[in-house]
Amino acid sequence: MSEQELTDFLILRSLDEPITEDELEDAAAQSGDVLQELRAEGNEICWIESEIMMNEDGEITGTFCQYRAEEKDIIHEHADRAGLPATRVDRRGEPLEGE
């Protein structure tokens, strides 16, 4: 499957308890390792970007991530293997323009 045929997905990763910057970095490294494994197995998936969610105290409470993949099941497989939450996974729509 060529990259033009891949679908953009947005993933909400809500955390039950806040995590530290170090824990976030560890999760990102684990995510990258699993992405490489999935691609080595013939799955089309790539990480595009992530936005960090923080509470009023500056603690990390989750992320919004954008991935490109051939199907939604691969997104869930990645999350399961990486030990990451995938609270909600939806196709990405057209972005809204800001001011």
Side-chain angles (χ1 to χ4, degrees):
M1 183 174 273
S2 69
E3 189 161 328
Q4 290 91 348
E5 297 173 7
L6 299 181
T7 301
D8 284 324
F9 291 95
L10 296 177
I11 302 102
L12 169 61
R13 300 189 193 284
S14 294
L15 301 171
D16 293 332
E17 296 292 326
I19 61 172
T20 65
E21 290 278 339
D22 287 342
E23 290 170 317
L24 181 62
E25 288 178 22
D26 291 345
Q30 179 65 22
S31 173
D33 291 345
V34 172
L35 285 172
Q36 289 180 6
E37 290 172 12
L38 287 167
R39 287 193 291 259
E41 294 168 9
N43 297 292
E44 296 271 355
I45 183 171
C46 64
W47 170 71
I48 305 299
E49 66 179 346
S50 294
E51 295 286 337
I52 308 302
M53 299 182 337
M54 301 178 105
N55 63 19
E56 298 80 23
D57 297 325
E59 299 171 314
I60 299 165
T61 59
T63 61
F64 279 106
C65 303
Q66 182 181 353
Y67 281 72
R68 192 167 289 145
E70 53 191 321
E71 59 187 36
K72 191 176 189 176
D73 290 346
I74 300 299
I75 300 293
H76 285 289
E77 178 71 18
H78 169 263
D80 289 345
R81 287 195 200 183
L84 301 171
T87 311
R88 183 167 180 170
V89 178
D90 287 312
R91 291 174 180 263
R92 181 178 180 263
E94 289 298 317
L96 299 174
E97 295 291 326
E99 291 184 41

